[in-house]
Amino acid sequence: MTDDLLALKTETDAALAAAGDLRAWDAVRVAVLGRNGSLTGLLKELGKVAPEERRARGAALNDLKEALTAAIDARRASLEEAALEARLAGERMDVTLPPRLSPAGLVHPISRTMEEMAALFGAMGFAIAEGPDIEDDWRNFGALNIPAHHPARQDMDTFYVPGLDADGRQRVLRTHTSPVQVRTMLNQEPPIRVIVPGRTYRADHDATHSPMFHQVEGLVIDRGITLGHLKGCLIDFLRAFFGIDTLPVRFRSSYFPFTEPSMEVDIGWNRKTGELGGGGDWLEILGSGMVHPKVLANCGIDPREWQGFAFGMGIERVTMLKHGIPDLRPFYESDIRWLRHYGFSALAPAMLHEGV
Ligand code: PHE
């Protein structure tokens, strides 16, 4: 390489090294390889070189062009990498920092119970189903084998919503989560295994009743389902939920229009002390039964092929019992002192391996 070419190489290397960012780098590139660049100029002048020198000069220029192009590309790559490194360093966050715990953000006991139920029934293979708060009287009553003038409709102190729905059915605020049984059976093929946590409404208001409250429904439909499955499922659930391995559980014959046979479920407790477990007294905790064949048929399921069980329980009730909460009303009053006392940390979600 002749001196002038060597000088250009040295000069360009120095300029590239001095280029601290992509903008400066581009200026160097243009100054060398651009239309008016120094190397481009030398190439243009090749025609003026004496014929006997032209070949050697041309080869040298080509070598230089290759070397400069490689150096320019390499500098670009290293500048881009440095820019990425700088960005990563600037955007770093420390995942080992402790969380900022604030008493302002706690999980309401009702939400906590729903999460615990999702964890417990989830482990038994149940999915979660939901339905609307405003139902129609067919899903809330009719399909569940509660005919028009059945006393159960009065028992439930229904809130009627003015006007009919698109199908000409009377709208109601659902009095229980059972209409979601109907929705689920109409919408999916058996086997079915769902729980339905949600809001429910009855025109009732005193220390132990609220016009809006929460229930969780359970529905299992499969082949060959028996009362034994119902009992095993609910005994397991109740013992795990209350954290008492030996919790006495009693099934007592009862009546619901949508189950046959029907059973009320009681747990053992001590009426005087309120303590759950022993004590010799019984406390009614939920309703259950084998899904009535008429309900299956109303929902398009052949009762000769499929059987199932269902249950329903009040979320507030089991929450009060589990945590010793004496009054129902503060559940809905948003009193920050009550919420701080009974709320749960959002950072310790209900998980089975820790027990719920
Ligand atoms: N829906 C009933 C109630 O609200 C509870 C229940 C659900 C009973 C499912 C049996 C089966 O009282």
Side-chain angles (χ1 to χ4, degrees):
M1 224 183 270
T2 51
D3 288 350
D4 62 335
L5 301 194
L6 268 178
L8 177 56
K9 173 82 172 89
T10 315
E11 206 179 285
T12 307
D13 284 344
L16 283 174
D21 56 28
L22 286 168
R23 179 186 278 243
W25 165 86
D26 199 48
V28 177
R29 183 186 65 82
V30 171
V32 178
L33 300 177
R35 198 186 318 175
N36 300 315
S38 40
L39 183 71
T40 317
L42 292 174
L43 284 164
K44 276 185 198 153
E45 285 164 10
L46 191 58
K48 294 181 199 153
V49 173
E52 59 278 16
E53 283 169 25
R54 202 176 291 158
R55 196 187 168 88
R57 177 78 176 170
L61 276 173
N62 266 336
D63 288 349
L64 178 62
K65 185 174 181 183
E66 232 167 74
L68 289 179
T69 307
I72 287 170
D73 288 349
R75 183 65 181 149
R76 181 196 180 117
S78 77
L79 283 171
E80 278 175 347
E81 196 180 308
L84 181 65
E85 290 293 336
R87 211 178 132 198
L88 287 174
E91 289 175 3
R92 176 172 306 169
M93 62 176 179
D94 183 353
V95 294
T96 66
L97 279 176
R100 280 177 220 110
L101 286 173
S102 153
L106 292 169
V107 176
H108 193 284
I110 290 180
S111 303
R112 172 72 188 193
T113 294
M114 288 181 175
E115 285 172 13
E116 291 176 2
M117 290 180 169
L120 288 171
F121 284 109
M124 293 194 240
F126 284 74
I128 292 183
E130 288 179 309
D133 292 15
I134 299 179
E135 268 295 357
D136 60 75
D137 64 353
W138 183 74
R139 288 185 177 85
N140 195 81
F141 297 120
L144 291 165
N145 198 32
I146 312 175
H149 299 289
H150 194 282
R153 293 209 187 193
Q154 273 79 59
D155 288 352
M156 287 196 179
D157 298 310
T158 312
F159 284 113
Y160 287 90
V161 178
L164 306 179
D165 71 6
D167 297 319
R169 292 172 179 152
Q170 176 64 53
R171 295 189 298 170
V172 300
L173 292 183
R174 65 180 181 190
T175 57
H176 50 180
T177 41
S178 303
V180 187
Q181 284 190 36
V182 178
R183 289 180 176 273
T184 306
M185 287 189 271
L186 287 171
N187 288 334
Q188 74 191 63
E189 299 282 318
I192 291 169
R193 221 184 280 192
V194 293
I195 58 164
V196 184
R199 283 183 293 272
T200 46
Y201 304 84
R202 292 183 199 178
D204 216 353
H205 201 187
D206 58 36
T208 55
H209 295 89
S210 152
M212 189 280 303
F213 59 105
H214 299 76
Q215 284 190 338
V216 65
E217 191 85 6
L219 176 69
V220 171
I221 306 285
D222 208 331
R223 291 192 174 87
I225 294 289
T226 71
L227 209 63
H229 296 114
L230 180 162
K231 292 176 76 174
C233 174
L234 288 175
I235 291 171
D236 274 3
F237 163 72
L238 290 168
R239 290 185 174 162
F241 177 76
F242 288 111
I244 305 172
D245 287 345
T246 55
L247 183 72
V249 180
R250 179 174 80 171
F251 292 82
R252 185 166 37 80
S253 169
S254 183
Y255 174 76
F256 298 101
F258 33 92
T259 47
E260 181 58 36
S262 303
M263 290 174 302
E264 222 102 46
V265 184
D266 303 335
I267 57 174
W269 76 322
N270 182 326
R271 192 184 304 277
K272 284 210 187 72
T273 63
E275 205 183 319
L276 299 180
D281 299 314
W282 292 104
L283 181 66
E284 180 195 319
I285 200 114
L286 65 95
S288 68
M290 302 304 291
V291 179
H292 197 296
K294 277 194 190 163
V295 175
L296 292 173
N298 287 343
C299 300
I301 291 180
D302 185 348
R304 287 164 304 185
E305 192 181 348
W306 303 97
Q307 299 75 41
F309 65 84
F311 57 87
M313 77 187 104
I315 302 235
E316 284 83 346
R317 181 162 170 73
V318 293
T319 305
M320 288 167 77
L321 285 168
K322 179 167 177 170
H323 303 295
I325 302 175
D327 193 339
L328 175 70
R329 288 165 292 194
F331 272 94
Y332 319 109
E333 283 170 356
S334 299
D335 182 332
I336 197 71
R337 294 163 301 177
W338 187 91
L339 291 168
R340 278 198 188 126
H341 185 78
Y342 288 111
F344 290 84
S345 167
L347 295 162
M351 284 189 294
L352 271 195
H353 65 271
E354 292 179 348
V356 290

